[in-house]
PDB file of all heavy atoms in Angstrom:
ATOM      1  N   VAL A  90      -2.392 -32.843 -12.372  1.00  0.00           N
ATOM      2  CA  VAL A  90      -3.835 -32.968 -12.682  1.00  0.00           C
ATOM      3  C   VAL A  90      -4.021 -33.420 -14.071  1.00  0.00           C
ATOM      4  O   VAL A  90      -4.896 -34.232 -14.330  1.00  0.00           O
ATOM      5  CB  VAL A  90      -4.500 -31.644 -12.341  1.00  0.00           C
ATOM      6  CG1 VAL A  90      -6.010 -31.671 -12.942  1.00  0.00           C
ATOM      7  CG2 VAL A  90      -4.605 -31.301 -10.882  1.00  0.00           C
ATOM      8  N   GLY A  91      -3.323 -32.872 -14.989  1.00  0.00           N
ATOM      9  CA  GLY A  91      -3.372 -33.178 -16.490  1.00  0.00           C
ATOM     10  C   GLY A  91      -3.154 -34.759 -16.589  1.00  0.00           C
ATOM     11  O   GLY A  91      -3.843 -35.399 -17.309  1.00  0.00           O
ATOM     12  N   PHE A  92      -2.096 -35.247 -16.044  1.00  0.00           N
ATOM     13  CA  PHE A  92      -1.851 -36.733 -16.151  1.00  0.00           C
ATOM     14  C   PHE A  92      -2.820 -37.553 -15.458  1.00  0.00           C
ATOM     15  O   PHE A  92      -3.246 -38.572 -15.986  1.00  0.00           O
ATOM     16  CB  PHE A  92      -0.355 -36.945 -15.576  1.00  0.00           C
ATOM     17  CG  PHE A  92       0.092 -38.365 -15.942  1.00  0.00           C
ATOM     18  CD1 PHE A  92       0.605 -38.643 -17.203  1.00  0.00           C
ATOM     19  CD2 PHE A  92       0.028 -39.437 -15.065  1.00  0.00           C
ATOM     20  CE1 PHE A  92       1.099 -39.815 -17.553  1.00  0.00           C
ATOM     21  CE2 PHE A  92       0.397 -40.675 -15.415  1.00  0.00           C
ATOM     22  CZ  PHE A  92       0.985 -40.887 -16.647  1.00  0.00           C
ATOM     23  N   ALA A  93      -3.419 -37.007 -14.368  1.00  0.00           N
ATOM     24  CA  ALA A  93      -4.409 -37.783 -13.655  1.00  0.00           C
ATOM     25  C   ALA A  93      -5.751 -37.814 -14.614  1.00  0.00           C
ATOM     26  O   ALA A  93      -6.386 -38.840 -14.544  1.00  0.00           O
ATOM     27  CB  ALA A  93      -4.711 -37.130 -12.376  1.00  0.00           C
ATOM     28  N   LEU A  94      -6.106 -36.785 -15.241  1.00  0.00           N
ATOM     29  CA  LEU A  94      -7.160 -36.688 -16.156  1.00  0.00           C
ATOM     30  C   LEU A  94      -6.970 -37.827 -17.264  1.00  0.00           C
ATOM     31  O   LEU A  94      -7.906 -38.500 -17.619  1.00  0.00           O
ATOM     32  CB  LEU A  94      -7.453 -35.368 -16.753  1.00  0.00           C
ATOM     33  CG  LEU A  94      -7.941 -34.330 -15.758  1.00  0.00           C
ATOM     34  CD1 LEU A  94      -7.962 -32.942 -16.378  1.00  0.00           C
ATOM     35  CD2 LEU A  94      -9.395 -34.766 -15.265  1.00  0.00           C
ATOM     36  N   LEU A  95      -5.750 -37.966 -17.735  1.00  0.00           N
ATOM     37  CA  LEU A  95      -5.462 -38.965 -18.786  1.00  0.00           C
ATOM     38  C   LEU A  95      -5.721 -40.319 -18.142  1.00  0.00           C
ATOM     39  O   LEU A  95      -6.167 -41.241 -18.849  1.00  0.00           O
ATOM     40  CB  LEU A  95      -4.007 -38.814 -19.181  1.00  0.00           C
ATOM     41  CG  LEU A  95      -3.748 -37.755 -20.224  1.00  0.00           C
ATOM     42  CD1 LEU A  95      -2.245 -37.646 -20.482  1.00  0.00           C
ATOM     43  CD2 LEU A  95      -4.499 -38.016 -21.477  1.00  0.00           C
ATOM     44  N   ALA A  96      -5.197 -40.511 -16.902  1.00  0.00           N
ATOM     45  CA  ALA A  96      -5.481 -41.750 -16.214  1.00  0.00           C
ATOM     46  C   ALA A  96      -6.945 -42.114 -16.041  1.00  0.00           C
ATOM     47  O   ALA A  96      -7.372 -43.232 -16.290  1.00  0.00           O
ATOM     48  CB  ALA A  96      -4.869 -41.716 -14.787  1.00  0.00           C
ATOM     49  N   VAL A  97      -7.822 -41.128 -15.787  1.00  0.00           N
ATOM     50  CA  VAL A  97      -9.179 -41.377 -15.691  1.00  0.00           C
ATOM     51  C   VAL A  97      -9.785 -41.695 -17.051  1.00  0.00           C
ATOM     52  O   VAL A  97     -10.520 -42.724 -17.233  1.00  0.00           O
ATOM     53  CB  VAL A  97      -9.907 -40.062 -15.096  1.00  0.00           C
ATOM     54  CG1 VAL A  97     -11.479 -40.299 -15.257  1.00  0.00           C
ATOM     55  CG2 VAL A  97      -9.567 -39.892 -13.663  1.00  0.00           C
ATOM     56  N   ALA A  98      -9.323 -41.048 -18.054  1.00  0.00           N
ATOM     57  CA  ALA A  98      -9.833 -41.348 -19.414  1.00  0.00           C
ATOM     58  C   ALA A  98      -9.371 -42.668 -19.872  1.00  0.00           C
ATOM     59  O   ALA A  98     -10.182 -43.412 -20.503  1.00  0.00           O
ATOM     60  CB  ALA A  98      -9.334 -40.279 -20.457  1.00  0.00           C
ATOM     61  N   ARG A  99      -8.237 -43.075 -19.500  1.00  0.00           N
ATOM     62  CA  ARG A  99      -7.702 -44.474 -19.950  1.00  0.00           C
ATOM     63  C   ARG A  99      -8.497 -45.561 -19.157  1.00  0.00           C
ATOM     64  O   ARG A  99      -8.948 -46.527 -19.817  1.00  0.00           O
ATOM     65  CB  ARG A  99      -6.144 -44.579 -19.604  1.00  0.00           C
ATOM     66  CG  ARG A  99      -5.713 -45.982 -19.929  1.00  0.00           C
ATOM     67  CD  ARG A  99      -4.132 -46.158 -19.575  1.00  0.00           C
ATOM     68  NE  ARG A  99      -3.797 -47.424 -19.890  1.00  0.00           N
ATOM     69  CZ  ARG A  99      -4.015 -48.465 -19.183  1.00  0.00           C
ATOM     70  NH1 ARG A  99      -4.620 -48.388 -18.002  1.00  0.00           N
ATOM     71  NH2 ARG A  99      -3.508 -49.681 -19.575  1.00  0.00           N
ATOM     72  N   ASP A 100      -8.719 -45.348 -17.924  1.00  0.00           N
ATOM     73  CA  ASP A 100      -9.387 -46.321 -17.151  1.00  0.00           C
ATOM     74  C   ASP A 100     -10.924 -46.469 -17.512  1.00  0.00           C
ATOM     75  O   ASP A 100     -11.516 -47.488 -17.351  1.00  0.00           O
ATOM     76  CB  ASP A 100      -9.285 -46.069 -15.556  1.00  0.00           C
ATOM     77  CG  ASP A 100      -7.877 -46.394 -15.169  1.00  0.00           C
ATOM     78  OD1 ASP A 100      -7.088 -47.044 -15.839  1.00  0.00           O
ATOM     79  OD2 ASP A 100      -7.561 -46.026 -13.982  1.00  0.00           O
ATOM     80  N   ALA A 101     -11.447 -45.292 -18.012  1.00  0.00           N
ATOM     81  CA  ALA A 101     -12.875 -45.268 -18.454  1.00  0.00           C
ATOM     82  C   ALA A 101     -12.968 -45.869 -19.880  1.00  0.00           C
ATOM     83  O   ALA A 101     -14.193 -45.925 -20.298  1.00  0.00           O
ATOM     84  CB  ALA A 101     -13.434 -43.808 -18.340  1.00  0.00           C
ATOM     85  N   GLY A 102     -11.856 -46.163 -20.499  1.00  0.00           N
ATOM     86  CA  GLY A 102     -11.977 -46.782 -21.766  1.00  0.00           C
ATOM     87  C   GLY A 102     -12.004 -45.844 -22.945  1.00  0.00           C
ATOM     88  O   GLY A 102     -12.146 -46.149 -24.114  1.00  0.00           O
ATOM     89  N   LEU A 103     -11.690 -44.499 -22.613  1.00  0.00           N
ATOM     90  CA  LEU A 103     -11.720 -43.552 -23.648  1.00  0.00           C
ATOM     91  C   LEU A 103     -10.392 -43.476 -24.443  1.00  0.00           C
ATOM     92  O   LEU A 103     -10.258 -42.922 -25.552  1.00  0.00           O
ATOM     93  CB  LEU A 103     -11.924 -42.137 -22.974  1.00  0.00           C
ATOM     94  CG  LEU A 103     -13.345 -42.025 -22.303  1.00  0.00           C
ATOM     95  CD1 LEU A 103     -13.403 -40.633 -21.565  1.00  0.00           C
ATOM     96  CD2 LEU A 103     -14.417 -42.263 -23.328  1.00  0.00           C
ATOM     97  N   LEU A 104      -9.349 -43.983 -23.794  1.00  0.00           N
ATOM     98  CA  LEU A 104      -7.943 -44.086 -24.391  1.00  0.00           C
ATOM     99  C   LEU A 104      -7.529 -45.482 -24.325  1.00  0.00           C
ATOM    100  O   LEU A 104      -6.484 -45.766 -23.731  1.00  0.00           O
ATOM    101  CB  LEU A 104      -7.040 -43.160 -23.661  1.00  0.00           C
ATOM    102  CG  LEU A 104      -7.244 -41.614 -23.696  1.00  0.00           C
ATOM    103  CD1 LEU A 104      -6.372 -40.815 -22.691  1.00  0.00           C
ATOM    104  CD2 LEU A 104      -7.323 -41.139 -25.062  1.00  0.00           C
ATOM    105  N   PRO A 105      -8.181 -46.442 -24.991  1.00  0.00           N
ATOM    106  CA  PRO A 105      -7.764 -47.857 -24.823  1.00  0.00           C
ATOM    107  C   PRO A 105      -6.360 -48.124 -25.396  1.00  0.00           C
ATOM    108  O   PRO A 105      -5.842 -49.159 -25.053  1.00  0.00           O
ATOM    109  CB  PRO A 105      -8.790 -48.607 -25.606  1.00  0.00           C
ATOM    110  CG  PRO A 105      -9.459 -47.615 -26.592  1.00  0.00           C
ATOM    111  CD  PRO A 105      -9.232 -46.197 -25.894  1.00  0.00           C
ATOM    112  N   ARG A 106      -5.907 -47.414 -26.355  1.00  0.00           N
ATOM    113  CA  ARG A 106      -4.590 -47.742 -26.902  1.00  0.00           C
ATOM    114  C   ARG A 106      -3.421 -47.171 -26.206  1.00  0.00           C
ATOM    115  O   ARG A 106      -2.250 -47.392 -26.491  1.00  0.00           O
ATOM    116  CB  ARG A 106      -4.585 -47.214 -28.443  1.00  0.00           C
ATOM    117  CG  ARG A 106      -5.603 -47.951 -29.212  1.00  0.00           C
ATOM    118  CD  ARG A 106      -5.448 -47.433 -30.624  1.00  0.00           C
ATOM    119  NE  ARG A 106      -6.406 -48.225 -31.427  1.00  0.00           N
ATOM    120  CZ  ARG A 106      -6.525 -48.064 -32.736  1.00  0.00           C
ATOM    121  NH1 ARG A 106      -5.670 -47.473 -33.495  1.00  0.00           N
ATOM    122  NH2 ARG A 106      -7.469 -48.859 -33.382  1.00  0.00           N
ATOM    123  N   LEU A 107      -3.649 -46.383 -25.121  1.00  0.00           N
ATOM    124  CA  LEU A 107      -2.528 -45.898 -24.323  1.00  0.00           C
ATOM    125  C   LEU A 107      -2.084 -47.005 -23.439  1.00  0.00           C
ATOM    126  O   LEU A 107      -2.654 -47.302 -22.442  1.00  0.00           O
ATOM    127  CB  LEU A 107      -3.112 -44.659 -23.503  1.00  0.00           C
ATOM    128  CG  LEU A 107      -2.084 -43.952 -22.646  1.00  0.00           C
ATOM    129  CD1 LEU A 107      -0.826 -43.436 -23.408  1.00  0.00           C
ATOM    130  CD2 LEU A 107      -2.774 -42.893 -21.817  1.00  0.00           C
ATOM    131  N   ARG A 108      -0.874 -47.577 -23.730  1.00  0.00           N
ATOM    132  CA  ARG A 108      -0.274 -48.556 -23.000  1.00  0.00           C
ATOM    133  C   ARG A 108       0.663 -48.071 -21.978  1.00  0.00           C
ATOM    134  O   ARG A 108       1.350 -47.109 -22.412  1.00  0.00           O
ATOM    135  CB  ARG A 108       0.381 -49.623 -23.901  1.00  0.00           C
ATOM    136  CG  ARG A 108      -0.617 -50.412 -24.779  1.00  0.00           C
ATOM    137  CD  ARG A 108       0.154 -51.285 -25.774  1.00  0.00           C
ATOM    138  NE  ARG A 108       1.222 -52.104 -25.156  1.00  0.00           N
ATOM    139  CZ  ARG A 108       1.048 -53.401 -24.660  1.00  0.00           C
ATOM    140  NH1 ARG A 108      -0.113 -53.939 -24.838  1.00  0.00           N
ATOM    141  NH2 ARG A 108       2.021 -54.119 -24.122  1.00  0.00           N
ATOM    142  N   LEU A 109       0.644 -48.585 -20.757  1.00  0.00           N
ATOM    143  CA  LEU A 109       1.611 -48.136 -19.760  1.00  0.00           C
ATOM    144  C   LEU A 109       2.690 -49.164 -19.606  1.00  0.00           C
ATOM    145  O   LEU A 109       2.504 -50.323 -19.779  1.00  0.00           O
ATOM    146  CB  LEU A 109       0.828 -47.959 -18.429  1.00  0.00           C
ATOM    147  CG  LEU A 109      -0.374 -46.927 -18.513  1.00  0.00           C
ATOM    148  CD1 LEU A 109      -1.191 -46.963 -17.263  1.00  0.00           C
ATOM    149  CD2 LEU A 109       0.258 -45.562 -18.708  1.00  0.00           C
ATOM    150  N   PRO A 110       3.886 -48.697 -19.178  1.00  0.00           N
ATOM    151  CA  PRO A 110       5.031 -49.617 -18.945  1.00  0.00           C
ATOM    152  C   PRO A 110       4.768 -50.561 -17.731  1.00  0.00           C
ATOM    153  O   PRO A 110       4.335 -50.119 -16.687  1.00  0.00           O
ATOM    154  CB  PRO A 110       6.161 -48.775 -18.737  1.00  0.00           C
ATOM    155  CG  PRO A 110       5.581 -47.489 -18.220  1.00  0.00           C
ATOM    156  CD  PRO A 110       4.244 -47.350 -18.881  1.00  0.00           C
ATOM    157  N   GLN A 111       5.044 -51.916 -18.027  1.00  0.00           N
ATOM    158  CA  GLN A 111       4.800 -52.775 -16.938  1.00  0.00           C
ATOM    159  C   GLN A 111       5.401 -54.178 -17.287  1.00  0.00           C
ATOM    160  O   GLN A 111       5.657 -54.428 -18.489  1.00  0.00           O
ATOM    161  CB  GLN A 111       3.391 -53.040 -16.503  1.00  0.00           C
ATOM    162  CG  GLN A 111       2.513 -53.635 -17.600  1.00  0.00           C
ATOM    163  CD  GLN A 111       1.114 -53.817 -17.275  1.00  0.00           C
ATOM    164  OE1 GLN A 111       0.852 -54.021 -16.010  1.00  0.00           O
ATOM    165  NE2 GLN A 111       0.163 -53.663 -18.054  1.00  0.00           N
ATOM    166  N   ASN A 112       5.696 -54.940 -16.290  1.00  0.00           N
ATOM    167  CA  ASN A 112       6.175 -56.302 -16.531  1.00  0.00           C
ATOM    168  C   ASN A 112       4.952 -57.205 -16.198  1.00  0.00           C
ATOM    169  O   ASN A 112       4.723 -57.512 -15.154  1.00  0.00           O
ATOM    170  CB  ASN A 112       7.329 -56.588 -15.662  1.00  0.00           C
ATOM    171  CG  ASN A 112       7.900 -57.970 -15.788  1.00  0.00           C
ATOM    172  OD1 ASN A 112       7.528 -58.649 -16.698  1.00  0.00           O
ATOM    173  ND2 ASN A 112       8.806 -58.356 -14.910  1.00  0.00           N
ATOM    174  N   ALA A 113       4.177 -57.368 -17.192  1.00  0.00           N
ATOM    175  CA  ALA A 113       2.841 -57.937 -17.002  1.00  0.00           C
ATOM    176  C   ALA A 113       2.862 -59.445 -16.571  1.00  0.00           C
ATOM    177  O   ALA A 113       2.379 -60.317 -17.396  1.00  0.00           O
ATOM    178  CB  ALA A 113       1.923 -57.722 -18.221  1.00  0.00           C
ATOM    179  N   ARG A 114       3.141 -59.702 -15.378  1.00  0.00           N
ATOM    180  CA  ARG A 114       3.182 -61.033 -14.888  1.00  0.00           C
ATOM    181  C   ARG A 114       2.674 -60.949 -13.473  1.00  0.00           C
ATOM    182  O   ARG A 114       3.092 -60.131 -12.628  1.00  0.00           O
ATOM    183  CB  ARG A 114       4.508 -61.730 -14.827  1.00  0.00           C
ATOM    184  CG  ARG A 114       5.148 -61.864 -16.223  1.00  0.00           C
ATOM    185  CD  ARG A 114       6.403 -62.655 -16.216  1.00  0.00           C
ATOM    186  NE  ARG A 114       7.437 -61.762 -15.434  1.00  0.00           N
ATOM    187  CZ  ARG A 114       8.437 -62.290 -14.752  1.00  0.00           C
ATOM    188  NH1 ARG A 114       8.650 -63.568 -14.715  1.00  0.00           N
ATOM    189  NH2 ARG A 114       9.299 -61.473 -14.188  1.00  0.00           N
ATOM    190  N   GLN A 115       1.576 -61.791 -13.161  1.00  0.00           N
ATOM    191  CA  GLN A 115       1.081 -61.701 -11.801  1.00  0.00           C
ATOM    192  C   GLN A 115       1.754 -62.633 -10.830  1.00  0.00           C
ATOM    193  O   GLN A 115       2.279 -63.744 -11.276  1.00  0.00           O
ATOM    194  CB  GLN A 115      -0.385 -62.065 -11.874  1.00  0.00           C
ATOM    195  CG  GLN A 115      -1.200 -60.950 -12.496  1.00  0.00           C
ATOM    196  CD  GLN A 115      -2.744 -61.314 -12.375  1.00  0.00           C
ATOM    197  OE1 GLN A 115      -3.186 -62.287 -12.869  1.00  0.00           O
ATOM    198  NE2 GLN A 115      -3.471 -60.435 -11.770  1.00  0.00           N
ATOM    199  N   VAL A 116       1.677 -62.451  -9.548  1.00  0.00           N
ATOM    200  CA  VAL A 116       2.097 -63.343  -8.624  1.00  0.00           C
ATOM    201  C   VAL A 116       1.193 -64.515  -8.565  1.00  0.00           C
ATOM    202  O   VAL A 116      -0.097 -64.339  -8.497  1.00  0.00           O
ATOM    203  CB  VAL A 116       2.250 -62.715  -7.113  1.00  0.00           C
ATOM    204  CG1 VAL A 116       2.695 -63.773  -6.162  1.00  0.00           C
ATOM    205  CG2 VAL A 116       3.139 -61.521  -7.215  1.00  0.00           C
ATOM    206  N   PRO A 117       1.605 -65.830  -8.725  1.00  0.00           N
ATOM    207  CA  PRO A 117       0.717 -66.859  -8.761  1.00  0.00           C
ATOM    208  C   PRO A 117      -0.175 -66.969  -7.505  1.00  0.00           C
ATOM    209  O   PRO A 117       0.364 -66.752  -6.383  1.00  0.00           O
ATOM    210  CB  PRO A 117       1.607 -68.142  -8.840  1.00  0.00           C
ATOM    211  CG  PRO A 117       2.875 -67.596  -9.260  1.00  0.00           C
ATOM    212  CD  PRO A 117       3.012 -66.208  -8.919  1.00  0.00           C
ATOM    213  N   GLN A 118      -1.412 -67.333  -7.691  1.00  0.00           N
ATOM    214  CA  GLN A 118      -2.392 -67.377  -6.559  1.00  0.00           C
ATOM    215  C   GLN A 118      -1.889 -68.390  -5.488  1.00  0.00           C
ATOM    216  O   GLN A 118      -2.123 -68.265  -4.289  1.00  0.00           O
ATOM    217  CB  GLN A 118      -3.681 -67.732  -6.948  1.00  0.00           C
ATOM    218  CG  GLN A 118      -4.414 -66.632  -7.704  1.00  0.00           C
ATOM    219  CD  GLN A 118      -5.843 -66.941  -8.128  1.00  0.00           C
ATOM    220  OE1 GLN A 118      -6.286 -68.051  -7.921  1.00  0.00           O
ATOM    221  NE2 GLN A 118      -6.553 -65.964  -8.582  1.00  0.00           N
ATOM    222  N   ASP A 119      -1.168 -69.493  -5.965  1.00  0.00           N
ATOM    223  CA  ASP A 119      -0.822 -70.528  -4.845  1.00  0.00           C
ATOM    224  C   ASP A 119       0.189 -69.967  -3.837  1.00  0.00           C
ATOM    225  O   ASP A 119       0.446 -70.597  -2.923  1.00  0.00           O
ATOM    226  CB  ASP A 119      -0.359 -71.752  -5.651  1.00  0.00           C
ATOM    227  CG  ASP A 119       0.952 -71.535  -6.406  1.00  0.00           C
ATOM    228  OD1 ASP A 119       1.124 -70.492  -6.959  1.00  0.00           O
ATOM    229  OD2 ASP A 119       1.748 -72.562  -6.436  1.00  0.00           O
ATOM    230  N   VAL A 120       0.929 -68.880  -4.285  1.00  0.00           N
ATOM    231  CA  VAL A 120       1.832 -68.325  -3.324  1.00  0.00           C
ATOM    232  C   VAL A 120       1.207 -67.932  -2.017  1.00  0.00           C
ATOM    233  O   VAL A 120       1.712 -68.229  -0.978  1.00  0.00           O
ATOM    234  CB  VAL A 120       2.532 -67.046  -4.002  1.00  0.00           C
ATOM    235  CG1 VAL A 120       3.220 -66.181  -2.927  1.00  0.00           C
ATOM    236  CG2 VAL A 120       3.423 -67.382  -5.053  1.00  0.00           C
ATOM    237  N   LEU A 121      -0.027 -67.366  -2.117  1.00  0.00           N
ATOM    238  CA  LEU A 121      -0.768 -67.044  -0.877  1.00  0.00           C
ATOM    239  C   LEU A 121      -1.476 -68.191  -0.194  1.00  0.00           C
ATOM    240  O   LEU A 121      -1.768 -68.152   0.866  1.00  0.00           O
ATOM    241  CB  LEU A 121      -1.738 -65.815  -1.176  1.00  0.00           C
ATOM    242  CG  LEU A 121      -1.061 -64.551  -1.523  1.00  0.00           C
ATOM    243  CD1 LEU A 121      -2.125 -63.580  -2.117  1.00  0.00           C
ATOM    244  CD2 LEU A 121      -0.306 -63.983  -0.341  1.00  0.00           C
TER     245      LEU A 121
END
C-alpha cells in the first residue's frame, strides 16, 4: 500500500523527480 501511494503521487505529478528504472524505447508504430 505504501509503495502504491507513492505510485499515485508520482502519476499525479506530486513527485515529478522520482524516476523509475526502464529502457525508454518504444516499439515503432510501423511494427503493427
Side-chain angles (χ1 to χ4, degrees):
V90 171
F92 193 79
L94 288 170
L95 284 174
V97 171
R99 182 185 177 276
D100 288 347
L103 301 175
L104 301 172
R106 293 186 183 185
L107 180 61
R108 293 177 47 95
L109 299 172
Q111 65 178 329
N112 183 8
R114 296 183 297 152
Q115 289 184 304
V116 178
Q118 288 183 352
D119 67 326
V120 166
L121 294 172

